[in-house]
Amino acid sequence: MIYILTGGPATGKGTRSDILANALEIPHISTGDMLRNVAKKNLEIREKLSNGELISDEIITDLLEQRILEDDCKEGFVLDGYPRTLKQAELLDVLLAKYGRAVTKVMELTIPDELAFKRILGRSKCTHCGASYGIDFPPKRKGRCDICGGHLAVRTDDTAETLSKRIETYRENSKPILDYYRDKGILMTVDASAHPERVVEEAQMEI
Ligand code: AMP
């Protein structure tokens, strides 16, 4: 059971990967989380992450190989954040084939652009304790944190302009990767405006 979850901004990839991984009792591997961990001890990676640059296909694939050889990945895993390039998709197949494994399904999460705008522009964070709020989980008092009463602020990079750009970039970059999996007949599209738990039902459906 090797699932890949992919999707543009505000599709809730992280949340849905967690739900799916918990339901299937396999680990959720987020390459972003993995790299943030490595960055604590590795200056080169730390610099790349803070500049928003992609880590090289070879380095990230080596890190992924070490991770999937761990015992908890024996029954499978849910991948989130990888592949980010067509080369990574190809390297992943080579890597898995080495161990007699293959990707089971690739789930692309989609939402209408209007919903992405609503979700992202409606996000805020407590400046004191860091708690997050959004349109689906608003604070009880407007502008105030439920937990500590601190002020809520919107992220400076959460603007309509940057979001349009992020959506466009996602579409351009993901196209060859999605085509690759579509050609293999393992791509499915999941409506991510629906309830997050739906991802589990969809994963268990035949393509
Ligand atoms: P994320 O948490 O998925 O947004 O990832 C955070 C950062 O980690 C990205 O901006 C990239 O710099 C790096 N990263 C995560 N996954 C990959 C990947 N598959 N290939 C290259 N860089 C990655």
Side-chain angles (χ1 to χ4, degrees):
M1 284 188 301
I2 299 176
Y3 289 90
I4 294 176
L5 259 69
T6 174
T11 49
K13 253 185 316 144
T15 313
R16 283 171 171 78
S17 300
D18 267 341
I19 292 174
L20 183 60
N22 282 334
L24 302 176
E25 297 182 14
I26 53 180
H28 164 198
I29 303 178
S30 148
T31 48
D33 285 348
M34 225 166 72
L35 286 167
R36 277 183 286 275
N37 234 337
V38 174
K40 289 181 195 155
K41 295 165 276 171
N42 183 315
L43 179 67
E44 198 187 325
I45 294 207
R46 192 154 65 234
E47 282 179 352
K48 285 222 157 83
L49 288 193
S50 58
N51 293 334
E53 281 172 53
L54 285 187
I55 305 304
S56 84
D57 294 334
E58 287 72 18
I59 292 180
I60 182 75
T61 308
D62 279 351
L63 286 169
L64 186 64
E65 177 165 15
Q66 290 165 32
R67 177 65 187 92
I68 68 172
L69 288 178
E70 285 175 34
D71 233 29
D72 62 340
C73 292
K74 262 205 289 232
E75 298 299 323
F77 48 88
V78 175
L79 249 185
D80 151 23
Y82 186 106
R84 283 267 218 297
T85 61
L86 182 58
K87 177 84 189 290
Q88 289 183 9
E90 291 165 351
L91 286 172
L92 178 64
D93 281 346
V94 174
L95 165 64
L96 293 175
K98 205 161 107 182
Y99 301 101
R101 309 177 82 172
V103 176
T104 312
K105 260 179 209 179
V106 178
M107 308 177 75
E108 191 203 12
L109 306 175
T110 60
I111 54 171
D113 287 356
E114 307 84 73
L115 184 58
F117 277 89
K118 237 169 114 182
R119 280 188 183 159
I120 297 237
L121 303 180
R123 276 199 313 209
S124 58
K125 216 176 167 123
C126 175
T127 50
H128 184 64
C129 75
S132 296
Y133 298 88
I135 52 164
D136 300 323
F137 36 93
K140 292 194 183 82
R141 262 195 309 156
K142 197 165 179 258
R144 289 287 181 167
C145 178
D146 290 354
I147 300 163
C148 72
H151 279 286
L152 301 184
V154 173
R155 263 173 49 175
T156 48
D157 56 343
D158 281 350
T159 63
E161 202 181 31
T162 54
L163 179 58
S164 302
K165 207 158 178 178
R166 280 164 60 200
I167 293 176
E168 200 183 305
T169 310
Y170 168 76
R171 290 212 173 107
E172 263 169 38
N173 295 348
S174 64
K175 190 173 180 309
I177 302 171
L178 297 174
D179 287 345
Y180 178 79
Y181 289 122
R182 191 176 293 110
D183 289 347
K184 287 179 176 282
I186 55 171
L187 176 70
M188 66 187 300
T189 304
V190 176
D191 175 6
S193 34
H195 195 278
E197 302 281 350
R198 278 272 339 243
V199 75
V200 179
E201 289 162 44
E202 304 254 9
Q204 284 157 348
M205 262 165 37
E206 292 304 318
I207 294 178

Coordinates of all heavy atoms in Angstrom, one line a residue, residues 63-153:
L63 N 17.3 10.3 0.9 CA 16.7 10.4 2.3 C 15.5 9.6 2.3 O 15.2 8.9 3.4 CB 16.4 11.9 2.6 CG 17.5 12.8 2.9 CD1 17.1 14.3 2.9 CD2 18.1 12.5 4.2
L64 N 14.7 9.6 1.3 CA 13.5 8.9 1.2 C 13.8 7.4 1.3 O 13.1 6.6 2.0 CB 12.7 9.2 0.0 CG 11.3 8.6 -0.1 CD1 10.4 9.1 1.0 CD2 10.7 8.9 -1.5
E65 N 14.8 6.9 0.6 CA 15.2 5.5 0.6 C 15.5 5.1 2.1 O 14.9 4.0 2.5 CB 16.4 5.2 -0.3 CG 16.8 3.8 -0.2 CD 17.7 3.4 -1.4 OE1 18.3 4.3 -2.0 OE2 17.9 2.2 -1.6
Q66 N 16.3 5.9 2.8 CA 16.6 5.5 4.2 C 15.3 5.4 5.0 O 15.1 4.5 5.8 CB 17.5 6.6 4.8 CG 18.9 6.6 4.2 CD 19.6 7.9 4.6 OE1 19.4 8.4 5.7 NE2 20.5 8.4 3.7
R67 N 14.4 6.3 4.8 CA 13.1 6.3 5.6 C 12.3 5.1 5.3 O 11.8 4.5 6.2 CB 12.4 7.6 5.3 CG 11.0 7.8 6.0 CD 11.2 7.9 7.5 NE 9.9 7.8 8.2 CZ 9.4 6.7 8.6 NH1 10.0 5.5 8.4 NH2 8.2 6.7 9.3
I68 N 12.1 4.8 4.0 CA 11.2 3.7 3.7 C 11.7 2.3 4.0 O 11.0 1.3 4.0 CB 10.7 3.7 2.2 CG1 11.8 3.4 1.2 CG2 10.0 5.0 1.9 CD1 11.2 3.3 -0.2
L69 N 13.1 2.3 4.3 CA 13.6 1.0 4.7 C 13.4 0.7 6.2 O 13.7 -0.4 6.7 CB 15.1 0.9 4.4 CG 15.5 0.8 2.9 CD1 16.9 0.9 2.6 CD2 14.8 -0.4 2.3
E70 N 12.9 1.7 6.9 CA 12.6 1.5 8.3 C 11.4 0.5 8.5 O 10.6 0.4 7.6 CB 12.3 2.9 9.0 CG 13.6 3.6 9.2 CD 13.4 5.0 9.8 OE1 12.4 5.2 10.6 OE2 14.1 5.9 9.4
D71 N 11.4 -0.1 9.6 CA 10.5 -1.2 9.9 C 9.0 -0.8 9.7 O 8.2 -1.6 9.2 CB 10.7 -1.6 11.3 CG 10.9 -3.1 11.4 OD1 11.4 -3.7 10.4 OD2 10.5 -3.7 12.4
D72 N 8.7 0.4 10.2 CA 7.2 0.8 10.1 C 6.7 1.0 8.7 O 5.5 1.1 8.5 CB 7.0 2.1 11.0 CG 7.8 3.3 10.4 OD1 8.8 3.1 9.7 OD2 7.4 4.4 10.7
C73 N 7.6 1.0 7.7 CA 7.1 1.2 6.3 C 6.9 -0.2 5.6 O 6.6 -0.2 4.4 CB 8.1 2.0 5.5 SG 8.2 3.7 6.1
K74 N 7.1 -1.3 6.3 CA 7.0 -2.6 5.7 C 5.6 -2.8 5.0 O 5.6 -3.4 3.9 CB 7.1 -3.7 6.8 CG 8.6 -4.2 6.8 CD 8.7 -5.6 7.3 CE 8.4 -5.7 8.8 NZ 9.1 -6.1 9.8
E75 N 4.5 -2.3 5.6 CA 3.2 -2.6 5.1 C 2.8 -1.5 4.1 O 1.8 -1.5 3.4 CB 2.1 -2.6 6.2 CG 2.3 -3.7 7.2 CD 2.2 -5.1 6.6 OE1 1.4 -5.2 5.6 OE2 3.0 -6.0 7.0
G76 N 3.6 -0.4 4.0 CA 3.3 0.7 3.1 C 3.5 2.0 3.8 O 3.9 2.1 4.9
F77 N 3.1 3.1 3.1 CA 3.2 4.5 3.6 C 2.4 5.4 2.7 O 2.1 5.1 1.6 CB 4.7 4.9 3.7 CG 5.5 4.6 2.5 CD1 5.6 5.6 1.5 CD2 6.2 3.4 2.3 CE1 6.3 5.3 0.3 CE2 7.0 3.2 1.2 CZ 7.0 4.2 0.2
V78 N 2.1 6.6 3.3 CA 1.5 7.6 2.5 C 2.5 8.8 2.3 O 3.1 9.3 3.3 CB 0.3 8.2 3.3 CG1 -0.4 9.4 2.6 CG2 -0.8 7.1 3.6
L79 N 2.8 9.1 1.1 CA 3.8 10.1 0.7 C 3.1 11.4 0.5 O 2.2 11.5 -0.3 CB 4.5 9.7 -0.5 CG 6.0 9.2 -0.5 CD1 6.5 9.0 -1.9 CD2 6.8 10.2 0.3
D80 N 3.7 12.5 1.1 CA 3.1 13.8 0.9 C 4.3 14.8 0.7 O 5.2 14.8 1.5 CB 2.3 14.1 2.2 CG 2.2 15.5 2.6 OD1 2.4 16.4 1.8 OD2 1.9 15.8 3.8
G81 N 4.3 15.5 -0.5 CA 5.4 16.4 -0.8 C 6.4 15.8 -1.7 O 7.4 16.5 -2.1
Y82 N 6.2 14.6 -2.2 CA 7.1 13.9 -3.1 C 6.3 13.0 -4.0 O 5.3 12.4 -3.5 CB 8.1 13.1 -2.3 CG 9.1 12.4 -3.1 CD1 10.5 12.8 -3.1 CD2 8.8 11.3 -3.9 CE1 11.4 12.2 -3.9 CE2 9.8 10.7 -4.7 CZ 11.1 11.2 -4.7 OH 12.1 10.6 -5.4
P83 N 6.5 13.0 -5.3 CA 7.5 13.7 -6.1 C 7.1 15.1 -6.4 O 5.9 15.4 -6.6 CB 7.5 12.8 -7.4 CG 6.2 12.2 -7.5 CD 5.7 12.0 -6.1
R84 N 8.1 16.0 -6.4 CA 7.9 17.4 -6.8 C 8.3 17.6 -8.2 O 8.0 18.7 -8.8 CB 8.8 18.3 -5.9 CG 8.3 18.5 -4.5 CD 7.4 19.7 -4.4 NE 7.5 20.6 -3.3 CZ 7.2 20.3 -2.0 NH1 6.9 19.2 -1.6 NH2 7.3 21.3 -1.1
T85 N 9.0 16.7 -8.8 CA 9.5 16.8 -10.2 C 9.2 15.5 -10.9 O 9.1 14.4 -10.2 CB 11.0 17.1 -10.3 OG1 11.7 16.0 -9.7 CG2 11.3 18.4 -9.6
L86 N 9.2 15.5 -12.3 CA 9.1 14.2 -13.0 C 10.2 13.3 -12.7 O 10.0 12.1 -12.6 CB 9.0 14.6 -14.5 CG 8.7 13.4 -15.4 CD1 7.5 12.6 -15.1 CD2 8.7 13.8 -16.9
K87 N 11.4 13.9 -12.6 CA 12.6 13.1 -12.3 C 12.4 12.3 -11.0 O 12.7 11.1 -10.9 CB 13.8 14.0 -12.2 CG 15.1 13.4 -11.9 CD 15.8 12.8 -13.1 CE 17.0 12.0 -12.7 NZ 18.2 12.7 -12.2
Q88 N 11.8 13.0 -10.0 CA 11.6 12.3 -8.7 C 10.6 11.1 -8.9 O 10.7 10.1 -8.3 CB 11.1 13.3 -7.7 CG 12.1 14.2 -7.2 CD 11.6 15.2 -6.1 OE1 10.5 15.0 -5.6 NE2 12.5 16.2 -5.8
A89 N 9.6 11.3 -9.7 CA 8.6 10.3 -10.0 C 9.3 9.1 -10.6 O 9.0 7.9 -10.2 CB 7.5 10.8 -10.9
E90 N 10.2 9.3 -11.5 CA 10.9 8.2 -12.1 C 11.9 7.5 -11.2 O 12.0 6.3 -11.1 CB 11.7 8.8 -13.4 CG 10.7 9.2 -14.5 CD 11.4 10.0 -15.6 OE1 12.5 10.5 -15.4 OE2 10.7 10.3 -16.6
L91 N 12.6 8.4 -10.4 CA 13.5 7.8 -9.4 C 12.8 7.0 -8.4 O 13.3 6.0 -7.9 CB 14.3 9.0 -8.7 CG 15.4 9.7 -9.5 CD1 15.9 10.9 -8.7 CD2 16.5 8.7 -9.8
L92 N 11.6 7.4 -8.0 CA 10.8 6.7 -7.0 C 10.5 5.3 -7.5 O 10.6 4.3 -6.8 CB 9.5 7.4 -6.7 CG 8.6 6.7 -5.7 CD1 9.3 6.6 -4.3 CD2 7.3 7.5 -5.5
D93 N 10.1 5.2 -8.8 CA 9.8 3.9 -9.4 C 11.0 3.0 -9.4 O 10.9 1.8 -9.1 CB 9.2 4.1 -10.8 CG 7.8 4.5 -10.8 OD1 7.1 4.4 -9.8 OD2 7.3 4.9 -11.9
V94 N 12.1 3.6 -9.7 CA 13.4 2.7 -9.7 C 13.7 2.3 -8.3 O 14.0 1.1 -8.1 CB 14.6 3.6 -10.3 CG1 15.9 2.8 -10.2 CG2 14.3 4.0 -11.7
L95 N 13.5 3.2 -7.4 CA 13.8 2.9 -6.0 C 12.9 1.8 -5.5 O 13.3 0.8 -4.9 CB 13.6 4.2 -5.1 CG 13.5 4.1 -3.6 CD1 14.8 3.5 -3.1 CD2 13.3 5.4 -3.0
L96 N 11.6 1.9 -5.7 CA 10.6 0.9 -5.2 C 10.9 -0.4 -5.9 O 10.8 -1.5 -5.2 CB 9.2 1.4 -5.4 CG 8.8 2.6 -4.6 CD1 7.4 3.1 -5.0 CD2 8.8 2.3 -3.1
A97 N 11.2 -0.4 -7.2 CA 11.4 -1.7 -8.0 C 12.5 -2.5 -7.4 O 12.5 -3.7 -7.3 CB 11.6 -1.3 -9.4
K98 N 13.5 -1.7 -6.9 CA 14.7 -2.4 -6.2 C 14.3 -3.3 -5.1 O 14.9 -4.2 -4.7 CB 15.6 -1.2 -5.7 CG 17.0 -1.5 -5.6 CD 17.8 -0.2 -5.5 CE 18.3 0.0 -4.1 NZ 19.1 1.2 -4.0
Y99 N 13.1 -2.9 -4.4 CA 12.7 -3.7 -3.3 C 11.4 -4.5 -3.7 O 10.6 -4.9 -2.8 CB 12.4 -2.8 -2.1 CG 13.7 -2.0 -1.7 CD1 13.9 -0.7 -2.1 CD2 14.7 -2.7 -1.0 CE1 15.0 0.0 -1.8 CE2 15.9 -2.0 -0.7 CZ 16.0 -0.7 -1.1 OH 17.2 0.0 -0.8
G100 N 11.1 -4.6 -5.0 CA 10.0 -5.3 -5.4 C 8.6 -4.7 -5.1 O 7.6 -5.3 -4.9
R101 N 8.7 -3.3 -5.0 CA 7.5 -2.6 -4.6 C 7.1 -1.6 -5.7 O 7.8 -1.4 -6.7 CB 7.7 -1.8 -3.3 CG 8.2 -2.7 -2.2 CD 8.5 -1.9 -1.0 NE 7.3 -1.8 -0.2 CZ 7.3 -1.2 1.0 NH1 8.4 -0.8 1.6 NH2 6.1 -1.1 1.7
A102 N 5.9 -1.1 -5.6 CA 5.4 -0.1 -6.6 C 4.3 0.8 -6.0 O 3.7 0.4 -5.0 CB 4.8 -0.8 -7.8
V103 N 4.1 2.0 -6.6 CA 3.1 2.9 -6.1 C 1.7 2.3 -6.3 O 1.5 1.8 -7.4 CB 3.2 4.3 -6.8 CG1 2.1 5.2 -6.4 CG2 4.6 4.9 -6.6
T104 N 0.9 2.3 -5.3 CA -0.5 1.7 -5.5 C -1.4 2.7 -6.2 O -2.0 2.4 -7.1 CB -1.0 1.4 -4.0 OG1 0.0 0.7 -3.3 CG2 -2.3 0.6 -4.1
K105 N -1.5 3.9 -5.6 CA -2.4 4.9 -6.1 C -1.8 6.3 -5.9 O -1.2 6.6 -4.9 CB -3.7 4.9 -5.4 CG -4.8 4.2 -6.1 CD -6.1 4.2 -5.3 CE -6.8 2.9 -5.6 NZ -8.1 2.8 -4.9
V106 N -2.1 7.2 -6.8 CA -1.8 8.6 -6.6 C -3.1 9.4 -6.6 O -3.9 9.3 -7.5 CB -0.9 9.1 -7.8 CG1 -0.6 10.6 -7.7 CG2 0.4 8.3 -7.9
M107 N -3.3 10.1 -5.5 CA -4.5 10.8 -5.3 C -4.3 12.3 -5.4 O -3.5 12.9 -4.6 CB -5.1 10.5 -3.9 CG -5.2 9.0 -3.7 SD -5.8 8.5 -2.1 CE -7.5 8.9 -2.3
E108 N -4.9 12.9 -6.4 CA -4.7 14.4 -6.6 C -5.9 15.0 -5.9 O -7.1 14.8 -6.3 CB -4.7 14.8 -8.0 CG -4.3 16.3 -8.1 CD -4.6 17.0 -9.3 OE1 -5.4 16.5 -10.2 OE2 -4.1 18.2 -9.5
L109 N -5.7 15.9 -4.9 CA -6.7 16.6 -4.2 C -7.0 17.9 -5.0 O -6.1 18.6 -5.3 CB -6.3 16.9 -2.8 CG -5.8 15.7 -2.0 CD1 -5.3 16.2 -0.6 CD2 -6.9 14.8 -1.7
T110 N -8.3 18.1 -5.3 CA -8.6 19.3 -6.0 C -9.7 20.1 -5.3 O -10.6 19.5 -4.7 CB -9.1 19.0 -7.5 OG1 -10.3 18.3 -7.4 CG2 -8.1 18.3 -8.3
I111 N -9.6 21.4 -5.4 CA -10.7 22.3 -4.9 C -10.9 23.4 -5.9 O -9.9 23.8 -6.6 CB -10.4 22.9 -3.5 CG1 -9.1 23.6 -3.5 CG2 -10.5 21.9 -2.4 CD1 -8.8 24.4 -2.2
P112 N -12.1 24.0 -6.0 CA -12.3 25.2 -6.8 C -11.4 26.3 -6.3 O -11.1 26.4 -5.1 CB -13.7 25.6 -6.6 CG -14.4 24.4 -6.0 CD -13.3 23.6 -5.2
D113 N -10.8 27.1 -7.3 CA -9.9 28.2 -6.9 C -10.6 29.1 -5.8 O -9.9 29.6 -4.9 CB -9.6 29.1 -8.1 CG -8.6 28.3 -9.0 OD1 -8.2 27.2 -8.7 OD2 -8.3 28.9 -10.1
E114 N -11.9 29.4 -5.9 CA -12.6 30.3 -5.0 C -12.4 29.8 -3.6 O -12.2 30.5 -2.6 CB -14.1 30.4 -5.2 CG -14.5 30.8 -6.6 CD -14.6 29.6 -7.5 OE1 -15.5 28.8 -7.4 OE2 -13.7 29.4 -8.4
L115 N -12.5 28.4 -3.4 CA -12.4 27.8 -2.1 C -10.9 28.0 -1.6 O -10.7 28.3 -0.4 CB -12.8 26.4 -2.1 CG -12.8 25.7 -0.7 CD1 -13.7 26.4 0.3 CD2 -13.3 24.2 -0.9
A116 N -9.9 27.8 -2.5 CA -8.5 28.0 -2.0 C -8.4 29.4 -1.5 O -7.7 29.7 -0.5 CB -7.6 27.8 -3.2
F117 N -8.9 30.4 -2.2 CA -8.8 31.8 -1.8 C -9.5 32.0 -0.4 O -8.9 32.6 0.5 CB -9.5 32.7 -2.8 CG -8.6 33.0 -4.0 CD1 -8.5 32.2 -5.1 CD2 -7.7 34.1 -3.9 CE1 -7.6 32.5 -6.1 CE2 -6.8 34.4 -5.0 CZ -6.8 33.6 -6.1
K118 N -10.7 31.4 -0.3 CA -11.4 31.6 1.0 C -10.6 31.0 2.1 O -10.5 31.6 3.2 CB -12.8 30.9 0.8 CG -14.0 31.8 1.1 CD -15.2 31.1 0.7 CE -16.1 30.9 1.9 NZ -17.3 30.2 1.6
R119 N -10.1 29.7 1.9 CA -9.4 29.1 3.0 C -8.1 29.8 3.3 O -7.8 30.0 4.5 CB -9.0 27.6 2.5 CG -10.2 26.7 2.7 CD -9.7 25.2 2.4 NE -10.8 24.3 2.5 CZ -10.8 23.1 1.9 NH1 -9.7 22.7 1.3 NH2 -11.8 22.3 2.0
I120 N -7.3 30.2 2.3 CA -6.0 30.8 2.6 C -6.2 32.2 3.2 O -5.5 32.6 4.2 CB -5.1 30.8 1.4 CG1 -4.9 29.4 1.0 CG2 -3.9 31.6 1.6 CD1 -3.5 28.9 0.9
L121 N -7.1 33.0 2.6 CA -7.2 34.4 3.0 C -7.9 34.4 4.4 O -7.9 35.4 5.1 CB -7.9 35.2 1.9 CG -7.1 35.2 0.6 CD1 -7.8 36.1 -0.4 CD2 -5.7 35.7 0.7
G122 N -8.6 33.3 4.7 CA -9.3 33.3 6.0 C -8.4 32.7 7.1 O -8.9 32.5 8.2
R123 N -7.2 32.4 6.8 CA -6.3 31.8 7.8 C -5.7 32.9 8.7 O -5.3 33.9 8.3 CB -5.1 31.1 7.1 CG -5.4 29.8 6.7 CD -4.2 28.9 6.4 NE -3.1 29.6 5.6 CZ -2.3 28.9 4.9 NH1 -2.4 27.6 4.8 NH2 -1.3 29.5 4.2
S124 N -5.6 32.5 10.0 CA -4.9 33.4 10.9 C -4.2 32.6 12.0 O -4.6 31.5 12.2 CB -5.8 34.5 11.5 OG -6.9 33.8 12.2
K125 N -3.3 33.3 12.7 CA -2.4 32.6 13.6 C -2.3 33.5 14.9 O -2.2 34.7 14.7 CB -1.1 32.4 13.0 CG -0.4 31.1 13.4 CD 0.9 30.9 12.6 CE 1.6 29.8 13.3 NZ 2.0 28.7 12.6
C126 N -2.3 32.8 16.0 CA -2.1 33.6 17.3 C -0.6 34.1 17.3 O 0.3 33.3 17.2 CB -2.4 32.8 18.5 SG -2.1 33.7 20.0
T127 N -0.4 35.4 17.6 CA 0.9 35.9 17.6 C 1.6 35.5 18.9 O 2.8 35.6 19.1 CB 0.9 37.5 17.5 OG1 0.0 38.0 18.5 CG2 0.5 38.0 16.2
H128 N 0.8 35.1 19.9 CA 1.4 34.7 21.2 C 1.7 33.2 21.3 O 2.9 32.8 21.5 CB 0.4 35.1 22.3 CG 1.0 34.9 23.7 ND1 2.1 35.5 24.2 CD2 0.6 34.0 24.6 CE1 2.3 35.1 25.4 NE2 1.4 34.2 25.7
C129 N 0.7 32.3 21.1 CA 1.0 30.9 21.2 C 1.0 30.1 19.9 O 1.3 28.9 19.9 CB -0.1 30.3 22.2 SG -1.7 30.0 21.4
G130 N 0.7 30.8 18.8 CA 0.9 30.1 17.5 C -0.3 29.2 17.1 O -0.2 28.6 16.0
A131 N -1.4 29.2 17.8 CA -2.5 28.4 17.4 C -3.1 28.9 16.1 O -3.0 30.1 15.8 CB -3.6 28.5 18.5
S132 N -3.6 28.0 15.3 CA -4.1 28.4 13.9 C -5.6 28.3 13.8 O -6.2 27.5 14.5 CB -3.5 27.4 12.9 OG -2.1 27.5 12.8
Y133 N -6.1 29.2 13.0 CA -7.6 29.3 12.8 C -7.8 29.4 11.3 O -7.0 29.9 10.6 CB -8.2 30.5 13.6 CG -8.0 30.4 15.1 CD1 -6.9 30.9 15.7 CD2 -8.9 29.7 15.8 CE1 -6.6 30.7 17.0 CE2 -8.7 29.6 17.2 CZ -7.6 30.1 17.8 OH -7.4 29.9 19.1
G134 N -9.1 29.1 10.9 CA -9.4 29.2 9.5 C -10.9 29.2 9.4 O -11.6 29.2 10.4
I135 N -11.4 29.2 8.1 CA -12.9 29.3 7.9 C -13.6 28.1 8.5 O -14.8 28.3 8.9 CB -13.3 29.5 6.4 CG1 -12.7 28.4 5.5 CG2 -12.9 30.9 5.9 CD1 -13.3 28.3 4.2
D136 N -13.0 27.0 8.5 CA -13.7 25.8 9.1 C -13.5 25.7 10.6 O -14.2 24.9 11.2 CB -13.1 24.5 8.4 CG -13.4 24.5 6.9 OD1 -14.4 25.0 6.5 OD2 -12.5 24.0 6.2
F137 N -12.6 26.4 11.1 CA -12.4 26.4 12.6 C -12.0 27.8 13.1 O -10.9 28.1 13.5 CB -11.3 25.4 13.0 CG -10.1 25.3 12.0 CD1 -9.0 26.1 12.2 CD2 -10.2 24.5 10.9 CE1 -8.0 26.0 11.2 CE2 -9.2 24.4 10.0 CZ -8.1 25.2 10.1
P138 N -13.1 28.7 13.0 CA -12.8 30.1 13.4 C -12.7 30.3 14.9 O -13.1 29.4 15.7 CB -14.1 30.8 12.9 CG -15.1 29.8 12.9 CD -14.5 28.4 12.7
P139 N -12.1 31.4 15.4 CA -12.0 31.6 16.8 C -13.4 32.0 17.4 O -14.2 32.5 16.6 CB -11.0 32.8 16.9 CG -11.2 33.5 15.6 CD -11.5 32.5 14.6
K140 N -13.6 31.8 18.6 CA -14.9 32.1 19.2 C -15.1 33.6 19.2 O -16.2 34.1 19.0 CB -15.0 31.6 20.6 CG -15.1 30.0 20.6 CD -15.5 29.5 22.0 CE -15.5 28.0 22.0 NZ -14.1 27.4 22.3
R141 N -14.0 34.4 19.6 CA -14.1 35.8 19.5 C -13.2 36.3 18.4 O -12.1 35.9 18.2 CB -13.5 36.4 20.8 CG -14.5 36.7 21.9 CD -14.0 37.6 23.0 NE -12.7 37.1 23.6 CZ -11.8 37.8 24.2 NH1 -12.0 39.1 24.3 NH2 -10.8 37.3 24.7
K142 N -13.8 37.2 17.5 CA -13.1 37.7 16.3 C -11.7 38.3 16.7 O -11.6 39.1 17.6 CB -14.0 38.7 15.6 CG -13.5 38.9 14.2 CD -14.6 39.6 13.4 CE -14.1 39.8 12.0 NZ -13.6 41.1 11.7
G143 N -10.7 37.8 16.0 CA -9.3 38.4 16.2 C -8.6 38.0 17.5 O -7.5 38.5 17.7
R144 N -9.2 37.1 18.3 CA -8.6 36.7 19.6 C -8.5 35.2 19.6 O -9.3 34.5 19.2 CB -9.5 37.1 20.7 CG -9.5 38.6 21.0 CD -8.2 39.0 21.6 NE -8.2 40.5 21.8 CZ -7.3 41.0 22.6 NH1 -6.3 40.3 23.1 NH2 -7.3 42.3 22.7
C145 N -7.4 34.8 20.2 CA -7.1 33.3 20.3 C -8.0 32.7 21.4 O -8.1 33.2 22.5 CB -5.6 33.1 20.7 SG -5.1 31.4 20.9
D146 N -8.6 31.5 21.1 CA -9.4 30.8 22.1 C -8.6 30.3 23.2 O -9.0 30.2 24.4 CB -10.0 29.6 21.4 CG -11.1 29.9 20.4 OD1 -11.4 31.1 20.3 OD2 -11.6 29.0 19.7
I147 N -7.3 30.0 22.9 CA -6.5 29.3 24.0 C -5.9 30.3 24.9 O -6.0 30.2 26.1 CB -5.4 28.5 23.3 CG1 -6.0 27.4 22.4 CG2 -4.4 27.8 24.3 CD1 -5.1 26.8 21.4
C148 N -5.3 31.4 24.4 CA -4.5 32.3 25.3 C -5.0 33.7 25.2 O -4.6 34.6 26.0 CB -3.0 32.2 25.0 SG -2.6 33.0 23.5
G149 N -6.0 34.0 24.4 CA -6.5 35.4 24.3 C -5.7 36.3 23.5 O -6.0 37.5 23.4
G150 N -4.6 35.8 22.9 CA -3.6 36.6 22.1 C -4.3 37.1 20.9 O -5.3 36.7 20.4
H151 N -3.6 38.1 20.2 CA -4.1 38.7 19.0 C -3.8 37.7 17.8 O -2.8 37.1 17.7 CB -3.3 40.0 18.6 CG -3.8 41.1 19.4 ND1 -5.0 41.7 19.1 CD2 -3.4 41.8 20.5 CE1 -5.2 42.7 19.9 NE2 -4.3 42.8 20.8
L152 N -4.8 37.6 16.9 CA -4.6 36.8 15.7 C -4.1 37.7 14.5 O -4.6 38.8 14.4 CB -5.9 36.1 15.3 CG -6.6 35.3 16.4 CD1 -7.8 34.6 15.9 CD2 -5.6 34.2 16.9
A153 N -3.2 37.1 13.8 CA -2.6 37.9 12.6 C -2.7 37.0 11.4 O -2.6 35.7 11.5 CB -1.2 38.3 12.9

